[in-house]
Every structure is written in C-alpha cells, then in structure tokens.
Amino acid sequence: MKYFRFKYILLSTIWLLCLLSPAQKSTKIAVINDIHYFSDKLAATEKAKENYTLHTGRDIDILHEVLDTVIARILLANPDVLLIVGDITNHGERQSHIDFIEKMQKIRDANISIFVVPGNHDINIPNTKEYNDNEFLDTETVSASEFAELYADFGYNSAISRDTASLSYLAKINDQTYLICFDTNLYDKHKTNSISAGKIKTETLHWALEILKKAKQENINVIAMMHHGLVEHIVGQSMFFPAYLIEDWQANAQIVADAGIRAVFTGHFHANDATSYTSPTGNTITDIETAGIGHFPFSYRIIELNDNQLKINTYSINSIASQPDLAQIHREKLHAKMLTFAKNRLKSIFEKLDPDIENFLVSLASQMALLHAIGDEVPDEDMKKEIEALSQLFDNDYINNDFSLDFPPEDNNLTIKWKN
C-alpha cells in the first residue's frame, strides 16, 4: 500500500512540474543575402544612376525600395536573429557598407541580433567604382580587418570564438544552438577583380571541427552559414558553375555533416534551392540557398527553430510602391539575361550547332534557370513537351522518364529535423 501511495505522489509531482515548467520558446530567424547594396552617394545625379544601371543592370532606387520593404517585413515578423549571408554591397564600396549598416539600425533598435558573413563582392575589391554623369571613378573599398571593425556589432564583438585564419566566427543563437559563420572568400588573392570562387581554409576547418566536437559532447545543436554553396544544387553545377561551390565540396560536405551540422544557409547562386547531402556514414546536411533581395525573385527566409527542427518558409517581394508589377518586370529581365547566357555558354561548349537545335536548347536552358531561381521547379505542360522532345533528340528515355529539375527536399517551405 505504501508503495502505491509513493508511486502516486511521485507521478503527481512529475505531472505538476511539467505543468509549471514554461514551454521552451522557439527562436525565430530571418535570412537575407546578396543585397548588392550601392550607396546613392556614389551616384549622386540621375544621369549617374543611369550610368550605373547601364553598367550593372541594377536600378539603385528600385533596390533601395525593395530593401526598405524587406526591412519593414522583418520588423513585422519580429525575429530574434537576422542572418546576412554575404554580398552585402554592389562591389565592396566602403560607402555602401557604411550606408547599409545605417539601414540596419532599425533592425538593431528592435533588439534583433544580427550576424553577418562577407561575400565575394564585399572585401578588398581592386576595381571598386563610383559613378558620375559620364565616367567611372575609383572609390575606396575595405580590407578584411576593416570589414570586421565596421560589422563589429553584427557578430564579431559578441563571437564566442573567432578563427585566426579568416573572418569566420562562432555565435550563440540560444542556449541549445550555435551558429558557425564560415568566411569562404578569397579576397586575399584579389588582384584586378574579385574572385567568385570560394573555399574553407584548412585552418578554418580544424577550428570548426574542434567547436563541433565540443558541441556534440555538450548536446548543443549547430547550424552554419557561408556565402558559397556547400553542395550541388543543380545537375553538373560543379562542372559548369564551379565558382558557386566551395572548393572540394564533396569532401567538405561529408566532414561537416559527420561532425554534426544539419543545416547551412548559403547564397551566391541567386536561386531559392534546398539540397540535402548524406555522407557514406548516414549523416545528412541540408544546404538552404536563398535567391537574395538584390534581384528577382527578391526573396528572404523566416525560420522557426526549436529543440527538434528548423521550419523554413520563403517570402518574395512582388510589388513595391514605385513599381507595382516588380516581379513580372524583373522576371522578364532575368529570362532575357538567361537566354543570352545560355546561348553564349552553348557556343563555348560546341563549335557548331544546328540553328534549330541551338534555339531549342537555349530556350529550354533559360526556362530551367528561371524556374531554379524561383525554387520548387515544376515544369508546365509546354516545358514537359520540350523535355520529351529533348529525349527524342538524344534518343534517351532517361531524360523523359526520370528527368528532374530539382534535388530534394522542397526549396521554399520545408522542415529539417535535427536528428536523422
């Protein structure tokens, strides 16, 4: 009788403690990248802005308004943390960094922690320019140490640990979650222009692995961010677009997956895509790449993080006050750009192509690139017919029956579990 009474009291106490213990609050994280911010102080007249647009294809006023819209939406979402995943500036202009930091003051005033990593357009750019009515003029860029000083309040001052070989650092998201911010850029090798390619330095990887070893011992979850892609997001990316992946990506993906990272936020390729990689030992890491807000589809992410999972949602800016049809206009611009790119790329691969075949391949490749930028690539009926025609052209049933435009999982709205 005494045993049953003790058991009843014990179970009642446990039940009461569960009721009284507050439920763990989830952490909300916003992600932006590839802003390519350009200070209007560096193109002070309308003619200078036109000159800039002609040279870069970007419209200063439109992109500033898109950024202001994203800031307003982030403030409305009220996240705990904002991640900025590189290519903050147009081309590393010191003034652009200064003005962007000023733009972020609204976020900081709302007590939202900001963590940043540089992109290949942010540091030590040899040919940084400002614009006047008729010409380009040299303007000041920033060194690696100056970047860390400028963004001291964006992760560097509050870092738990800093890598001595790069601008990588470790930040605390909450008591159960760390964030490794990898600097994967090659700005120390810039000579005449910026280098698009990237890598994780050997010293940086060793630094990160020590952190991950300790985190595993302490049962702390770890996510990461880096500007360059960790894994392939399209078939043949490492062959056709190697500069958008870190050097030796497969080996690095296996190492960090086995070390315990389950999710990494990336940018650089200007597309909304999520791709999972599973190591030979069965550990999975998902690379969540965001298209960015400096170009169509003007996308950012909002993540709900808790003990068990990351729930990721993607949002895009389709309209702004000065351009209500923003998405449609810039979708058409991107499609035209992809047509030109695909045509030039095919000419570089094939010495001579039948004009009809060339036009067909250019059309299909440009449509695929556009769908990839948006994410969750679902071909319409016309595109399905083109894929069928492609299989007949190369007499390959695989293209028609098993051809997929996208690697799993979903790209825009997905959930990642902490445990496999």
Side-chain angles (χ1 to χ4, degrees), residues 20 106 119 125 140 166 209 265 294 320 331 338 346 351 357 367:
L20 293 176
K106 288 182 179 178
I125 309 298
E140 191 178 2
S166 72
L209 290 176
F265 291 95
I320 55 177
R331 180 186 178 118
M338 290 299 102
L346 281 172
E351 289 185 9
I357 294 176
Q367 290 180 67

Side-chain angles (χ1 to χ4, degrees), residues 225-241:
M225 68 171 175
M226 64 179 73
H227 185 61
H228 296 79
L230 178 68
V231 303
E232 281 191 312
H233 288 268
I234 57 173
V235 175
Q237 186 176 11
S238 57
M239 181 184 296
F240 295 108
F241 307 102

Side-chain angles (χ1 to χ4, degrees), residues 186-365:
L186 303 177
Y187 43 76
D188 52 339
K189 296 182 179 180
H190 289 174
K191 300 299 182 185
T192 59
N193 204 340
S194 62
I195 297 172
S196 292
K199 66 181 290 185
I200 300 176
K201 292 180 179 179
T202 302
E203 303 93 326
T204 303
L205 186 59
H206 289 163
W207 164 81
L209 290 176
E210 284 300 312
I211 289 168
L212 291 165
K213 180 181 178 181
K214 186 176 180 182
K216 189 175 287 187
Q217 292 170 349
E218 297 177 358
N219 201 29
I220 293 173
N221 298 317
V222 182
I223 59 176
M225 68 171 175
M226 64 179 73
H227 185 61
H228 296 79
L230 178 68
V231 303
E232 281 191 312
H233 288 268
I234 57 173
V235 175
Q237 186 176 11
S238 57
M239 181 184 296
F240 295 108
F241 307 102
Y244 293 91
L245 295 167
I246 60 168
E247 184 181 299
D248 204 8
W249 70 269
Q250 286 176 301
N252 281 283
Q254 179 178 334
I255 290 168
V256 297
D258 288 343
I261 296 178
R262 293 290 165 260
V264 55
F265 291 95
T266 66
H268 196 33
F269 202 52
H270 296 186
N272 289 323
D273 191 86
T275 299
S276 293
Y277 166 86
T278 301
S279 73
T281 53
N283 296 301
T284 299
I285 186 169
T286 303
D287 180 334
I288 305 103
E289 174 188 275
T290 307
I293 59 176
H295 34 259
F296 177 82
F298 307 106
S299 300
Y300 63 99
R301 309 250 195 190
I302 300 290
I303 298 99
E304 293 281 350
L305 177 153
N306 60 40
D307 263 352
N308 303 313
Q309 64 186 26
L310 291 166
K311 185 177 181 181
I312 302 162
N313 290 295
T314 306
Y315 302 89
S316 297
I317 307 300
N318 296 316
S319 178
I320 55 177
S322 65
Q323 202 168 79
D325 46 359
L326 174 80
Q328 184 59 35
I329 289 172
H330 289 270
R331 180 186 178 118
E332 291 171 2
K333 284 184 177 181
L334 179 59
H335 190 205
K337 183 179 178 180
M338 290 299 102
L339 281 168
T340 301
F341 177 83
K343 191 168 187 175
N344 292 336
R345 190 66 175 164
L346 281 172
K347 284 183 176 179
S348 71
I349 297 172
F350 301 101
E351 289 185 9
K352 192 174 182 180
L353 268 178
D354 177 275
D356 290 337
I357 294 176
E358 180 183 330
N359 291 336
F360 169 76
L361 291 176
V362 166
S363 174
L364 181 59

Side-chain angles (χ1 to χ4, degrees), residues 122-179:
D122 290 326
I123 294 173
N124 195 28
I125 309 298
N127 55 341
T128 302
K129 302 294 182 185
E130 64 177 292
Y131 297 78
N132 67 14
D133 290 355
N134 301 306
E135 59 184 340
F136 313 139
L137 305 170
D138 291 338
T139 193
E140 191 178 2
T141 185
V142 300
S143 66
S145 59
E146 288 169 334
F147 181 91
E149 288 170 8
L150 283 169
Y151 291 95
D153 294 328
F154 292 61
Y156 288 101
N157 272 359
S158 60
I160 302 170
S161 173
R162 283 189 60 177
D163 174 38
T164 57
S166 72
L167 289 180
S168 304
Y169 62 95
L170 178 68
K172 181 179 178 181
I173 296 291
N174 58 38
D175 290 339
Q176 290 80 39
T177 313
Y178 284 167
L179 170 73

